[in-house]
């Protein structure tokens, strides 16, 4: 009943909290009241720019609705991962570089076909592919070595400008690490393939999909060595007649 009252009578609660905040001098109480006002005075369901102009402050004018920007935000992260894979080329054995580049091309084509998995942050997408609720709430999935978030972190970047900005500090964390494990293993696989076909789709999943990505609050993002490696049984596959992307 307490929580329901906050949702159904939010305007009255906000007004009362503002009156209290005007006279409050204790920093801790000021913070509690300010957070309460901030969280209740948000426009979560608004989607179009004209319905929540404050949310779009600081963004390029080309973004006309919230979901399009959130989708772009996710795409940018995935594009960044692709750039890191490409920038590893100088570290690949010279004799294997062309084969490595060919795999990069296959991955790039696959990413383009799925629009760089921008669906993960788009609340308009089907439930099976988005990482948020239909209202836009995201929940931390916990550190790489846990099945859940011990602190129950959550955020709705669709709610207000501040939450949108704070969400940029959340990470799509690779469980099997991108730099320490996946990319070096891919380079080694290409180098030592000896006539075998590298299972590039397995590496694609590890690098760019939620098969190996967890959305985590910055406090749950452990930057220590994960000490996890790729599945050796999935690195190669039987050679196909072509490289058709499915």
């Amino acid at each position: 009943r307490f929580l329901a009252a906050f949702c159904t009578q939010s305007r009255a609660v906000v007004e009362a909290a503002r009156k209290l905040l005007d006279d409050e001098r204790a920093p801790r109480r000021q913070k509690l009241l300010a957070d309460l006002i901030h969280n209740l005075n948000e426009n979560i369901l608004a989607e179009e720019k004209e319905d929540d102009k404050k949310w779009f402050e600081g963004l390029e004018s080309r973004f006309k609705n919230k979901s399009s920007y959130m989708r772009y935000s996710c795409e940018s992260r995935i594009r960044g991962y692709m750039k890191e894979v490409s920038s590893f080329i100088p570290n690949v054995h010279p004799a294997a570089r062309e084969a490595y580049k060919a795999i990069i091309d296959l991955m790039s084509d696959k990413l383009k076909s799925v629009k760089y998995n921008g669906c993960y942050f788009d609340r308009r997408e089907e439930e099976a592919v988005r990482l948020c609720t239909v209202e836009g709430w995201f929940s931390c999935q916990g550190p790489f070595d846990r099945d859940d978030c011990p602190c129950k972190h959550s955020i709705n970047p669709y709610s207000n400008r501040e939450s949108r900005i704070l969400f940029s500090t959340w990470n799509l964390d690779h469980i099997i690490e991108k730099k320490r494990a996946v990319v070096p293993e891919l380079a080694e696989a290409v180098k030592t393939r000896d006539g075998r076909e590298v299972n590039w789709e397995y590496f694609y999943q590890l690098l760019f999909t939620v098969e190996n990505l967890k959305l985590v609050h910055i406090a749950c993002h452990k930057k220590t060595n994960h000490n996890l490696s790729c599945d050796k049984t999935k690195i190669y596959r039987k050679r196909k007649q072509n490289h058709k992307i499915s």
Side-chain angles (χ1 to χ4, degrees), residues 38 77 155 157 160-171 217-218:
H38 175 73
R77 299 190 190 207
I155 190 171
N160 51 61
R161 179 173 177 269
E162 182 178 338
S163 294
R164 166 175 66 76
I165 294 171
L166 285 174
F167 186 67
S168 66
T169 67
W170 284 48
N171 293 276
H217 183 279
I218 189 170

Side-chain angles (χ1 to χ4, degrees), residues 197-237:
E197 183 178 1
V198 175
N199 185 6
W200 67 268
E201 288 169 314
Y202 169 62
F203 289 99
Y204 169 89
Q205 289 180 332
L206 295 181
L207 290 166
F208 309 115
T209 78
V210 290
E211 290 289 326
N212 190 49
L213 291 171
K214 295 184 76 173
L215 181 66
V216 296
H217 183 279
I218 189 170
C220 286
H221 184 206
K222 296 182 179 179
K223 294 186 178 181
T224 56
N225 194 324
H226 293 189
N227 290 314
L228 297 172
S229 57
C230 301
D231 186 341
K232 300 293 185 183
T233 66
K234 296 181 179 180
I235 291 176
Y236 299 104
R237 65 184 178 190

Side-chain angles (χ1 to χ4, degrees), residues 62 86 195 241:
R62 63 190 173 101
S86 298
Q241 295 302 312

